[in-house]
C-alpha cells in the first residue's frame, strides 16, 4: 500500500497535540473550559507573575499513562519536566514546560486498517506531557495584536510517530484511529474544531531506496479533511520542486483550510536554540508499578474491543461494527439508540444511513446531532411495531431533526399512524378498483408472469389514497384477493 | 576560549536583551572574565557522575484536578502596560 | 526600646510593657530618620504598619495573641506583598504590585508580626555588595563607606542598625549569611525545601531559600518557627514536621562533633577573620564540643559550578519579564522584537544582564555539556563531600566570608573578584544544606562571622550551637558605634 506517486515515495510522520480533558490546568488550579471571556481563565501562575510556582495535576499524569497503556507503550518510572526557552507573547514564562530527554510515555504502536482491509503497524516514538500556549488574536487593535492567555497552561500530550505513514490516507486513518482511542479513554473531548487535537505533519519525498529527503513541517491542522488536503498539496509541491530541479528547504508551513493554500512561516527557524534544561521548580515524576496497574485495571473499552463486541453482541457485520465502533461518539450514540429502539440492527442501519447522511450534509459532528439517541430509538420502535412505515418514518425523522419533541407526538399530531383497519383498507381497495376499470381488465387479462409488475400500480394507488398511512402488507393482501375475485 | 562580538550578538538575541555598540566591549569583557572562572570546571574529573539538577531526593508532588483559582482579571490587568477588551496588547504578531 | 531583641520585644508586648503601636511608631521614626543614610528600605509602609500594629494591640488586649504578635519586622523586597510594591531591587519591577502575598509573608502575618516595609537588595538578588540595586546601595551601619554585603544587604543593615529586631531574607549563594556576617547579625539559610518559595521572586530555583535574620540565634529560631513548613503551592517544599526550634536552644554541647574543613582556612582568608573563627571554635570546644579535621575536597569548584547553574536557571526565570503583562515596558516599541529587547535592556541592570547572558551561553547548543551538565556533575561531587563529612561530624564550622566588609567600588572592575567573596557560602546552596552565620569578632572595627553548616533539616542543632555560643559571648550584642551612641 506504500506505493509511489509518479516514481516518488512519500514519507510522513505526525506530531499530535492533544488537549487533555482535565478540569484545571497542568500546573495551576485555573479552569480549562473553552470559550470563556479573554484572560478570565488565566490565573497568576498562568500569567507567570513573579514568585508563582507550578504544581503538577494528577489527572493529567493519569491521562498520559492511560494513553501509553492504550498504545502498548512503556510508562517511564521516572520522567522529567524541562524548560524549552523562547520568547513569544503568548508564552508568559518565556519557556514552555515540557518533556524531552525523559518523556512519560516511551515507544509504542498503533495498528491502522488500510483501504484494502489489511492492517499496518505505525510506531509511536514517544508521548510527553506539556503545557499549551495562549493565543494571539490578529484582529486589528490599532495595528497591535491582542493576547488571550486562557489556553496558556492547558495540559497537552504530544504524541510523536515514527515516519511510518506512506500517504495522506494512511495519515488520516492513523489520526482517526487515534481520535477513537483518546475519546474512548475519555482523556480528550476530541473536538477538532476547538483545537483539542492538532496535527503537525512532517513530510518528505524520495526516490525508492534513496536516503530520506529534506522534510517540511505543516503545522496546526485541525480537521481530518484539512490534513488530507494539506498533505496532498505539500506532496505535490515537493515533487514539483524536485522535478523542476529545485531543492526542498526545511521549513515550517502553515496551511489555511478555508482557502486551501499553504505558505512558509515567516519566523526564522534557524535562530531558534531552545536551551532545554530540567525545570528546577519541578521534581522528577515517579510512577510506580502499582499506580500503572491500577490504571490498567480500569482502562475503558477501546475501539478494537468495542468493534468485536458490537459484532458479537449485536450480530452486526464486521464492517458495520467497525464503522460504528471506531468513533467513540458514534459508538455511544449507536448503543444508546439501539437500547432505546430495542433493535440494534435497525439502529445500526439508521445511524450509518440517515443520521450519517444528514450530519454530513449539515457538516455536523454526531455529538451535535439534533436528534438524540432516545428520540431516534422512539422513532425506530414505531417502525418495529408497525405503527408507521419506513416512508412515514423519514417524514417523522425530518420533524425530529427540525426540533420536534418525540416521534409519538409527531405521529399523533400529523395523523401519521398506519391504517391497519382492514375494513377501511378494503374500502380504499374497492375505490381504486372502481376508479380504474381499464387497468383492472388489463391486469386480469394479462399472463400470470406479467401480473406482479402490474400489481405495483394498484398498491401505489391505494397507498396514495391512504396518504401513505395504510399498512402495505394489508394493502397487498386485500388487493391480491380482490383482483383475483371477478366482479 | 574568549567569546567574540558575533557570540554576544547571538546571546543578545536569544536572551532578548538589546546590547548597544558602546557597551558591547565591556559586556564581552565581563562575560569573558566569568567564563575564565567557570572554565576551571574542565579540570574536574566527573567521569561516571550523574548530574545533580536538584539537591532534594524527592519526587514530584501531585495536585488533585480541581479548579481552585478564581481569576480577577481587572486586578491582574491593573498592573499591565497595555490592555484593551481584556486582551494584552503587543506589537503585531507575525507568524 | 529599639535595642531590645526580638524575644525581648515579644515579652514586653505580652506583658503590656509597651504597645505594638508605640513600638511600631518608634521604629518607623528611626527608619524615616536613618533611611537617607543607610538606604536600608526601598519602601516604608507607615500606614500599613500602624494598621497592623493596632490590630496586634487588639489581639494582645483580648489575650488571644499568637507568638510574635505585634513585633515589627521588615521583608526583603523579593517577597511579594499584596497591595505594596515589590521591586526586587530592579527598575523592571519599579511599578509592580503583586495581587498576592508570599507564603513567608502570609505565615509571619499569621504569627502576628507587623511589617514596616520592604528592604533594599541587589537587583534580583544578584550581588554580594548591594551595589546592583536600582535604588542605590545600602550603607553598612558599621562603616558607612563599606558595603553591607548582599544580596540581603537592606535586611542585614536594618537589623544591625536596630531599625527592626528581625527581617526576612533569601539566600541563593550566600545572600543571607554574607550580609549577616558583614553587618554583625545572625542569619540562617534553612535546608532547601524547609521554607516555601511561593511568592518569592526566583533567582535560581534549585538554590533559592528564604530565611530569617535577627540579632541572636534565639530570635532567628522564633522567626524560623513561623516561616518553616509545608506549602502545597511549592512543589519543592517538603512535607516534614517542623521541630520546636526554641526547645533545643539550651541543650549542652557535650559530645557535639564539629568538623573543621581544611579547605575553608586556606590562602585568601583574612588573618583577622581566621583568628576570630578559631576563637569561636575554641569556645565551642570549651563547652564540650569535639573538633574534627575534615576535608571537603571539591570546595574550590563550588564557585565555578555555581556561576554556571545559577545564571542558567536565572536566564529562564527572568524570561517572564518581557513587558507584556506587567513590569517595565519600553516606549513605542516598533515591533515585537523591539518590545522584548528594549524593555529588558532598560529594565535590567548590568549585573543581571551579564548573568542572563552567561546562563544563556551555558545552556546554548554546543555548550550545554561542557558547562551546564558538567556543573551539575560537580554539584553532585560537592554534595557527596558533605554527605561523607556528615558521616563523621554533626556540624561543620568555618568562616562565613574571607574578609570583613569592603569599600564601595572595591570590586567594581571585576565581577569574579566579587563572586569570590561567596567562596565559603556557595557550597551549602549547591548541596541544599542549612547554613547559619553569626558574629564572632571585629576586624578593623568591622564584624566578621562564623558559619555553621548543618546536615539536612538539622536547623535545631545549628541553632542550639549558635545559642550556646551566644550565651557565652557578646559579639551578637555589639551595636555599630553610631547606633550604640
Amino acid at each position: 500500500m506504500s506505493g509511489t506517486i509518479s516514481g516518488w515515495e512519500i514519507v510522513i510522520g505526525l506530531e499530535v497535540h492533544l488537549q487533555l480533558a482535565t478540569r484545571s490546568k497542568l500546573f495551576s488550579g485555573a479552569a480549562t473550559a473553552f470559550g470563556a471571556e479573554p484572560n478570565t481563565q488565566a490565573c497568576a501562575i498562568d500569567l507567570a507573575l513573579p514568585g508563582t510556582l507550578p504544581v503538577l495535576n494528577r489527572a493529567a499524569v493519569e491521562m498520559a499513562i492511560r494513553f501509553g497503556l492504550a498504545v502498548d507503550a512503556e510508562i517511564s518510572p521516572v520522567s522529567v519536566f524541562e524548560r524549552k526557552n523562547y520568547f513569544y507573547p503568548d508564552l508568559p514564562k518565556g519557556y514552555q514546560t515540557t518533556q524531552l530527554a525523559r518523556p512519560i510515555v516511551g515507544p509504542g504502536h498503533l495498528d491502522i486498517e488500510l483501504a484494502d482491509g489489511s492492517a499496518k503497524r505505525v510506531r509511536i516514538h514517544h508521548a510527553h506531557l506539556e503545557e499549551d500556549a495562549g493565543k494571539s488574536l490578529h484582529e486589528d487593535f490599532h495595528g497591535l495584536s491582542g493576547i488571550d492567555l486562557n489556553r496558556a497552561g492547558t495540559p497537552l500530550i504530544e504524541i510523536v510517530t515514527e515516519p511510518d505513514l506512506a500517504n495522506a490516507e494512511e495519515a488520516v486513518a492513523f489520526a482517526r484511529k487515534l481520535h477513537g482511542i483518546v475519546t474512548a479513554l475519555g482523556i480528550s473531548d476530541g473536538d477538532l474544531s476547538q483545537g483539542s487535537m492538532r496535527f503537525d505533519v512532517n513530510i518528505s519525498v524520495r526516490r525508492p531506496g534513496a536516503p530520506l529527503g529534506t522534510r517540511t513541517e505543516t503545522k496546526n491542522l485541525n480537521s481530518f479533511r484539512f490534513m488530507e488536503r494539506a498533505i496532498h498539496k505539500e506532496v505535490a509541491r515537493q515533487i514539483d520542486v524536485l522535478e523542476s530541479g529545485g531543492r526542498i528547504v526545511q521549513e515550517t508551513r502553515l496551511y489555511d483550510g478555508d482557502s486551501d493554500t499553504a505558505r512558509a512561516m515567516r519566523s526564522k527557524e534557524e535562530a531558534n536554540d531552545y536551551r532545554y534544561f530540567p525545570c528546577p521548580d519541578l521534581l522528577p515524576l515517579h510512577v510506580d508499578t502499582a499506580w500503572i496497574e491500577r490504571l490498567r485495571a480500569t482502562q475503558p473499552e477501546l475501539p478494537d474491543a468495542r468493534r468485536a463486541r458490537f459484532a458479537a453482541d449485536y450480530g452486526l457485520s464486521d464492517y458495520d461494527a467497525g464503522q460504528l465502533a471506531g468513533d467513540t461518539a458514534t459508538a455511544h450514540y449507536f448503543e444508546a439508540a439501539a437500547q432505546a429502539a430495542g433493535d440494534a440492527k435497525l439502529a445500526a442501519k439508521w445511524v450509518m444511513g440517515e443520521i450519517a447522511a444528514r450530519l454530513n450534509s449539515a457538516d455536523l459532528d454526531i455529538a451535535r446531532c439534533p436528534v438524540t439517541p432516545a428520540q431516534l430509538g422512539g422513532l425506530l420502535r414505531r417502525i418495529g411495531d408497525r405503527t408507521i412505515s419506513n416512508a412515514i418514518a423519514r417524514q417523522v425523522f425530518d420533524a425530529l431533526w427540525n426540533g420536534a419533541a418525540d416521534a409519538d407526538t409527531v405521529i399523533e399530531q400529523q395523523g401519521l399512524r398506519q391504517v391497519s383497519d382492514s375494513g377501511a383498507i378494503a374500502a380504499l381497495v374497492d375505490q381504486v378498483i372502481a376508479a380504474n376499470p381499464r387497468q383492472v381488465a388489463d391486469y386480469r387479462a394479462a399472463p400470470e408472469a406479467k401480473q406482479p409488475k402490474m400489481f405495483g400500480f394498484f398498491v401505489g394507488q391505494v397507498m396514495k389514497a391512504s396518504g401513505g398511512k395504510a399498512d402495505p402488507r394489508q394493502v397487498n393482501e386485500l388487493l391480491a384477493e380482490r383482483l383475483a375475485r371477478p366482479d | 576560549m574568549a567569546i567574540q562580538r558575533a557570540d554576544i550578538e547571538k546571546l543578545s538575541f536569544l536572551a532578548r536583551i538589546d546590547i548597544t555598540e558602546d557597551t558591547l566591549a565591556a559586556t564581552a569583557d565581563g562575560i569573558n572574565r566569568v567564563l575564565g572562572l567557570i572554565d576551571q570546571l574542565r579540570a574536574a574529573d566527573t567521569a561516571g557522575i550523574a548530574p545533580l539538577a536538584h539537591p532534594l531526593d524527592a519526587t514530584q508532588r501531585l495536585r488533585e484536578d480541581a479548579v481552585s483559582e478564581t481569576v480577577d482579571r481587572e486586578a491582574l490587568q491593573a498592573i499591565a502596560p497595555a490592555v484593551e477588551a481584556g486582551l494584552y496588547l503587543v506589537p503585531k504578531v507575525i507568524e | 526600646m529599639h535595642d531590645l531583641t526580638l524575644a525581648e520585644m515579644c515579652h514586653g508586648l505580652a506583658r503590656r510593657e509597651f504597645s505594638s503601636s508605640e513600638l511600631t511608631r518608634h521604629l518607623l521614626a528611626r527608619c524615616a530618620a536613618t533611611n537617607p543614610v543607610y538606604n536600608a528600605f526601598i519602601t516604608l509602609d507607615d500606614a500599613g504598619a500602624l494598621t497592623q500594629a493596632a490590630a496586634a494591640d487588639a489581639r494582645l488586649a483580648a489575650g488571644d495573641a499568637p507568638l510574635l504578635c505585634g513585633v515589627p519586622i521588615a521583608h526583603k523586597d523579593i517577597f511579594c506583598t499584596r497591595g505594596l510594591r515589590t521591586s526586587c531591587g530592579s527598575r523592571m519591577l519599579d511599578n509592580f504590585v503583586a495581587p498576592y502575598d508570599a507564603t513567608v509573608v502570609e505565615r509571619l502575618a499569621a504569627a502576628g508580626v507587623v511589617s514596616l516595609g520592604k528592604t533594599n537588595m541587589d537587583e534580583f538578588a544578584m550581588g554580594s555588595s548591594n551595589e546592583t540595586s536600582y535604588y542605590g546601595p545600602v550603607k553598612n551601619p558599621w562603616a558607612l563607606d563599606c558595603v553591607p554585603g548582599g544580596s540581603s544587604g537592606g535586611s542585614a543593615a536594618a537589623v544591625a542598625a536596630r531599625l527592626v529586631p528581625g527581617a526576612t531574607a533569601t539566600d541563593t549563594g550566600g545572600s543571607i549569611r554574607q550580609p549577616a556576617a558583614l553587618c554583625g547579625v545572625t542569619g540562617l539559610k534553612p535546608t532547601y525545601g524547609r521554607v516555601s518559595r511561593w511568592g518569592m521572586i526566583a533567582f535560581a530555583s534549585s538554590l533559592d531559600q528564604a530565611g530569617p535574620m535577627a540579632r541572636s540565634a534565639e530570635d532567628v529560631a522564633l522567626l524560623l518557627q513561623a516561616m518553616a513548613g509545608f506549602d502545597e503551592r511549592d512543589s519543592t517544599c517538603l512535607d516534614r514536621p517542623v521541630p520546636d526550634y526554641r526547645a533545643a536552644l539550651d541543650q549542652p554541647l557535650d559530645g557535639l562533633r564539629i568538623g573543621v574543613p581544611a579547605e575553608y582556612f586556606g590562602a585568601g582568608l583574612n588573618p583577622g577573620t581566621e583568628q576570630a573563627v578559631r576563637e569561636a571554635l575554641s569556645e565551642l570546644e570549651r563547652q564540650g564540643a569535639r573538633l574534627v579535621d575534615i576535608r571537603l575536597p571539591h570546595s574550590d569548584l563550588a564557585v565555578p559550578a555555581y556561576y554556571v547553574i545559577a545564571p542558567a536557571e536565572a536566564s529562564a526565570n527572568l524570561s517572564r519579564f518581557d513587558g507584556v503583562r506587567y513590569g517595565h515596558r519600553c516606549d513605542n516599541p516598533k515591533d515585537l522584537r523591539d518590545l522584548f529587547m528594549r524593555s529588558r535592556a532598560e529594565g535590567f541592570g548590568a549585573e543581571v544582564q551579564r548573568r542572563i547572558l552567561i546562563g544563556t551561553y551555558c545552556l546554548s547548543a554546543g555548550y550545554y555539556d561542557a558547562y551546564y551538565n558538567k556543573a551539575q556533575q560537580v554539584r553532585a561531587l560537592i554534595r557527596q563531600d558533605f554527605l561523607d563529612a556528615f558521616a563523621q561530624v554533626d556540624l561543620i564550622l568555618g568562616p562565613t566570608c574571607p574578609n570583613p566588609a569592603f569599600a564601595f567600588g572595591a570590586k567594581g572592575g571585576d565581577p569574579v573578584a566579587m563572586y569570590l567573596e561567596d567562596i565559603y557560602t556557595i557550597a551549602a546552596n549547591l548541596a541544599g544544606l542549612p547554613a547559619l552565620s553569626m558574629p564572632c569578632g571585629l576586624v578593623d572595627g568591622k564584624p566578621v562571622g562564623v558559619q555553621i553548616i548543618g546536615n539536612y533539616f538539622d536547623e535545631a542543632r545549628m541553632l542550639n550551637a549558635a545559642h550556646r555560643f551566644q550565651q557565652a559571648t557578646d559579639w551578637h550584642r555589639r551595636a555599630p558605634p553610631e547606633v550604640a551612641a
Side-chain angles (χ1 to χ4, degrees):
Chain A
M1 187 56 204
S2 54
T4 56
I5 291 187
S6 40
W8 295 93
E9 189 177 282
I10 305 159
V11 179
I12 298 172
L14 293 180
E15 292 167 21
V16 185
H17 287 92
L18 182 75
Q19 276 186 355
L20 298 176
T22 55
R23 286 183 280 273
S24 65
K25 294 193 175 167
L26 185 56
F27 296 116
S28 85
T32 53
F34 184 85
E37 282 293 298
N39 292 309
T40 55
Q41 291 188 165
C43 70
I45 298 167
D46 306 322
L47 296 175
L49 259 59
T52 59
L53 293 168
V55 183
L56 184 58
N57 185 333
R58 176 188 302 276
V61 174
E62 296 201 334
M63 289 178 182
I65 296 172
R66 285 196 186 282
F67 173 75
L69 294 175
V71 296
D72 265 336
E74 189 191 323
I75 308 302
S76 309
V78 181
S79 63
V80 173
F81 287 95
E82 306 205 28
R83 293 179 177 180
K84 178 185 183 182
N85 295 283
Y86 64 97
F87 284 87
Y88 210 67
D90 67 10
L91 188 71
K93 294 191 292 293
Y95 55 82
Q96 179 193 30
T97 308
T98 178
Q99 300 185 309
L100 180 74
R102 303 177 82 177
I104 184 161
V105 176
H109 58 83
L110 195 59
D111 294 336
I112 59 172
E113 189 176 313
L114 303 183
D116 64 0
S118 66
K120 173 169 179 168
R121 176 150 292 191
V122 179
R123 291 168 301 157
I124 289 168
H125 181 271
H126 77 273
H128 63 258
L129 273 164
E130 63 182 24
E131 56 184 348
D132 211 343
K135 279 180 179 168
S136 304
L137 304 181
H138 304 290
E139 295 97 271
D140 198 22
F141 292 96
H142 340 289
L144 302 172
S145 290
I147 307 296
D148 175 11
L149 296 170
N150 279 349
R151 201 179 67 180
T154 298
L156 300 174
I157 49 174
E158 180 175 341
I159 302 153
V160 180
T161 76
E162 298 285 357
D164 287 352
L165 300 158
N167 54 51
E169 292 68 33
E170 289 187 16
V172 170
F174 178 86
R176 285 190 185 278
K177 184 79 184 265
L178 192 65
H179 184 268
I181 287 174
V182 301
T183 49
L185 288 170
I187 65 172
S188 172
D189 65 15
D191 191 340
L192 276 70
S193 65
Q194 308 286 30
S196 294
M197 199 172 181
R198 313 192 289 270
F199 302 93
D200 299 346
V201 190
N202 291 304
I203 302 169
S204 63
V205 300
R206 63 173 169 187
R207 293 295 185 190
L212 283 175
T214 304
R215 64 181 186 160
T216 63
E217 183 180 16
T218 303
K219 279 190 103 68
N220 271 339
L221 301 167
N222 63 356
S223 84
F224 299 128
R225 199 176 308 168
F226 288 170
M227 182 170 151
E228 186 165 7
R229 283 199 211 146
I231 293 172
H232 283 310
K233 199 153 205 85
E234 178 58 12
V235 166
R237 186 189 72 86
Q238 290 192 12
I239 291 174
D240 230 36
V241 167
L242 294 171
E243 289 191 341
S244 51
R247 285 178 40 205
I248 302 300
V249 182
Q250 185 167 347
E251 63 189 5
T252 303
R253 299 178 63 81
L254 280 180
Y255 175 78
D256 177 12
D258 297 331
S259 61
D260 190 27
T261 55
R263 63 169 172 85
M265 284 178 75
R266 272 192 264 182
S267 48
K268 289 191 180 62
E269 288 286 304
E270 72 272 18
N272 282 339
D273 179 345
Y274 292 122
R275 291 159 282 133
Y276 285 91
F277 75 104
C279 179
D281 285 327
L282 295 162
L283 298 167
L285 171 64
H286 291 252
V287 178
D288 62 18
T289 317
W291 191 10
I292 294 172
E293 291 313 315
R294 217 158 47 236
L295 293 172
R296 195 194 302 277
T298 54
Q299 282 285 80
E301 185 183 45
L302 294 180
D304 284 350
R306 188 156 61 199
R307 176 181 188 162
R309 179 170 61 84
F310 281 7
D313 291 5
Y314 298 128
L316 303 181
S317 71
D318 183 55
Y319 177 83
D320 287 356
Q323 290 292 299
L324 292 167
D327 177 70
T328 303
T330 305
H332 287 163
Y333 189 101
F334 157 69
E335 288 207 89
Q339 194 180 10
D343 183 341
K345 282 189 172 170
L346 186 61
K349 186 176 151 225
W350 274 74
V351 172
M352 288 189 294
E354 196 67 22
I355 296 267
R358 288 296 192 98
L359 290 173
N360 193 41
S361 59
D363 200 17
L364 283 175
D365 289 338
I366 197 156
R368 293 191 174 74
C369 182
V371 179
T372 66
Q375 288 174 315
L376 179 65
L379 171 62
L380 301 187
R381 277 193 184 279
R382 296 298 160 256
I383 299 175
D385 67 12
R386 299 186 31 227
T387 304
I388 53 173
S389 65
N390 269 313
I392 292 295
R394 292 213 158 67
Q395 195 180 327
V396 177
F397 181 82
D398 271 342
L400 293 173
W401 184 273
N402 292 314
D406 61 77
D408 288 347
T409 311
V410 175
I411 291 164
E412 288 315 315
Q413 286 179 349
Q414 299 188 21
L416 300 176
R417 184 175 287 279
Q418 189 157 265
V419 177
S420 48
D421 169 355
S422 55
I425 295 174
L428 288 173
V429 168
D430 285 345
Q431 188 187 313
V432 165
I433 283 177
N436 298 285
R438 194 167 55 81
Q439 284 82 347
V440 172
D442 287 354
Y443 175 87
R444 287 183 173 147
E448 203 169 325
K450 286 205 168 177
Q451 280 181 338
K453 207 174 172 187
M454 300 169 78
F455 188 74
F457 165 79
F458 299 104
V459 176
Q461 291 298 309
V462 176
M463 288 308 288
K464 194 174 164 189
S466 76
K469 292 181 290 182
D471 178 352
R473 214 173 44 180
Q474 280 181 302
V475 172
N476 273 279
E477 279 171 15
L478 290 169
L479 259 177
E481 187 191 313
R482 185 72 180 78
L483 284 168
R485 173 158 49 88
D487 289 314
Chain B
M1 145 191 83
I3 65 165
Q4 311 295 328
R5 161 183 287 271
D7 300 313
I8 294 285
E9 284 168 354
K10 184 185 159 208
L11 292 177
S12 160
F13 175 70
L14 281 177
R16 299 299 193 280
I17 295 175
D18 195 23
I19 294 171
T20 55
E21 195 56 40
D22 48 317
T23 60
L24 195 139
T27 303
D29 175 62
I31 291 174
N32 278 322
R33 283 170 189 261
V34 180
L35 293 182
L37 170 75
I38 65 183
D39 274 336
Q40 292 173 24
L41 291 172
R42 290 174 191 276
D45 178 8
T46 54
I49 303 295
L52 180 68
H54 220 280
L56 294 179
D57 248 347
T59 179
Q60 177 59 38
R61 193 156 35 75
L62 299 168
R63 180 175 61 76
E64 296 310 314
D65 180 27
V67 176
S68 56
E69 297 278 338
T70 47
V71 175
D72 180 351
R73 184 175 74 182
E74 204 177 322
L76 290 167
Q77 295 196 335
I79 53 174
V83 286
E84 189 175 316
L87 297 161
Y88 294 95
L89 294 188
V90 296
K92 201 102 192 125
V93 175
I94 298 162
E95 288 182 319
Chain C
M1 209 155 34
H2 57 265
D3 213 34
L4 300 173
T5 66
L6 194 142
E8 288 161 355
M9 284 184 192
C10 287
H11 278 291
L13 287 162
R15 281 178 297 183
R16 317 295 306 280
E17 288 168 16
F18 41 81
S19 70
S20 175
S21 299
E22 286 169 315
L23 185 57
T24 300
R25 257 193 298 275
H26 174 70
L27 294 181
L28 282 171
R30 283 179 63 78
C31 291
T34 58
N35 215 40
V37 181
Y38 302 132
N39 198 26
F41 284 86
I42 290 173
T43 305
L44 278 163
D45 181 24
D46 292 48
L50 290 170
T51 306
Q52 294 167 47
D57 284 330
R59 295 190 73 175
L60 285 161
D64 72 335
L67 187 62
L68 302 179
C69 194
V71 178
I73 64 154
H75 289 299
K76 184 179 183 179
D77 205 17
I78 199 168
F79 294 101
C80 289
T81 43
R82 188 201 313 263
L84 183 68
R85 183 207 19 208
T86 301
S87 75
C88 221
S90 180
R91 182 185 180 194
M92 182 60 86
L93 293 179
D94 187 43
N95 59 3
F96 176 70
V97 180
Y100 44 83
D101 279 330
T103 300
V104 161
V105 171
E106 216 173 72
R107 283 179 182 247
L108 283 166
V113 306
V114 171
S115 168
L116 302 191
K118 311 291 291 287
T119 61
N120 202 347
M121 56 182 284
D122 279 298
E123 185 180 7
F124 284 102
M126 297 179 190
S128 306
S129 68
N130 234 284
E131 291 169 294
T132 72
S133 171
Y134 174 63
Y135 301 92
V138 175
K139 306 275 175 56
N140 190 320
W142 290 84
L144 295 179
D145 59 339
C146 286
V147 305
S151 65
S152 312
S155 289
V159 173
R162 276 55 173 170
L163 305 180
V164 281
T168 58
T170 62
D171 190 316
T172 305
S175 281
I176 290 176
R177 292 159 286 156
Q178 186 254 13
L182 269 47
C183 290
V185 305
T186 306
L188 170 66
K189 178 202 98 71
T191 307
Y192 185 88
R194 177 78 287 183
V195 175
S196 169
R197 295 186 297 115
W198 170 264
M200 177 179 125
I201 299 178
F203 161 14
S205 310
S206 77
L207 303 164
D208 295 343
Q209 187 64 197
M213 276 185 182
R215 300 232 300 281
S216 69
E218 182 186 15
D219 290 358
V220 164
L222 280 167
L223 290 171
L224 181 63
Q225 199 73 49
M227 293 167 74
F230 178 62
D231 179 7
E232 61 181 11
R233 291 173 294 187
D234 175 2
S235 295
T236 64
C237 185
L238 292 197
D239 191 0
R240 287 177 64 120
V242 180
D244 183 342
Y245 293 115
R246 268 198 312 170
L249 286 176
D250 288 311
Q251 295 284 313
L253 303 185
D254 296 302
L256 183 75
R257 299 168 302 168
I258 294 179
V260 183
E263 291 80 4
Y264 285 36
F265 292 86
L269 176 60
N270 179 298
T273 304
E274 174 166 2
Q275 196 191 334
V277 172
R278 295 230 183 253
E279 280 169 16
L281 285 167
S282 300
E283 170 55 36
L284 293 167
E285 207 174 11
R286 268 195 295 281
Q287 293 198 32
R290 188 157 58 82
L291 304 188
V292 181
D293 288 328
I294 60 162
R295 301 300 305 258
L296 297 170
H298 296 94
S299 292
D300 58 339
L301 293 173
V303 175
Y306 176 88
Y307 278 97
V308 172
I309 296 164
E313 293 185 11
S315 72
N317 281 335
L318 273 62
S319 290
R320 65 189 59 202
F321 304 106
D322 59 4
V324 175
R325 299 165 312 285
Y326 53 82
H328 178 73
R329 180 184 197 136
C330 66
D331 287 332
N332 307 314
K334 64 177 200 286
D335 54 27
L336 265 181
R337 178 178 162 153
D338 187 42
L339 166 71
F340 292 150
M341 295 198 65
R342 226 154 25 89
S343 297
R344 290 166 60 78
E346 294 168 4
F348 293 139
E351 181 63 24
V352 171
Q353 293 189 21
R354 170 156 51 230
R355 295 202 196 185
I356 292 173
L357 294 169
I358 289 165
T360 303
Y361 183 73
C362 291
L363 291 172
S364 63
Y367 299 99
Y368 180 92
D369 287 335
Y371 289 120
Y372 181 79
N373 207 53
K374 183 87 177 178
Q376 300 285 37
Q377 288 177 308
V378 167
R379 183 181 194 177
L381 293 173
I382 288 168
R383 182 176 68 162
Q384 192 57 49
D385 283 355
F386 282 111
L387 294 178
D388 293 345
F390 281 120
Q392 308 169 54
V393 300
D394 302 308
L395 298 174
I396 295 172
L397 256 77
T400 307
C401 311
N403 295 295
F406 48 90
F408 288 106
K411 317 278 181 186
D414 184 2
V416 173
M418 182 76 80
Y419 298 170
L420 291 173
E421 284 300 307
D422 293 331
I423 192 161
Y424 306 130
T425 52
I426 274 174
N429 298 85
L430 292 172
L433 291 165
L436 170 158
S437 177
M438 63 176 168
C440 67
L442 291 171
V443 174
D444 304 328
K446 293 180 283 192
V448 294
V450 57
Q451 178 176 219
I452 304 177
I453 302 173
N455 208 339
Y456 295 101
F457 296 98
D458 210 8
E459 287 85 357
R461 197 197 303 258
M462 298 158 63
L463 288 164
N464 168 214
H467 180 70
R468 293 292 302 204
F469 175 81
Q470 292 182 338
Q471 292 302 99
T473 60
D474 72 344
W475 297 112
H476 66 293
R477 295 195 171 275
R478 307 279 182 101
E482 281 180 43
V483 175

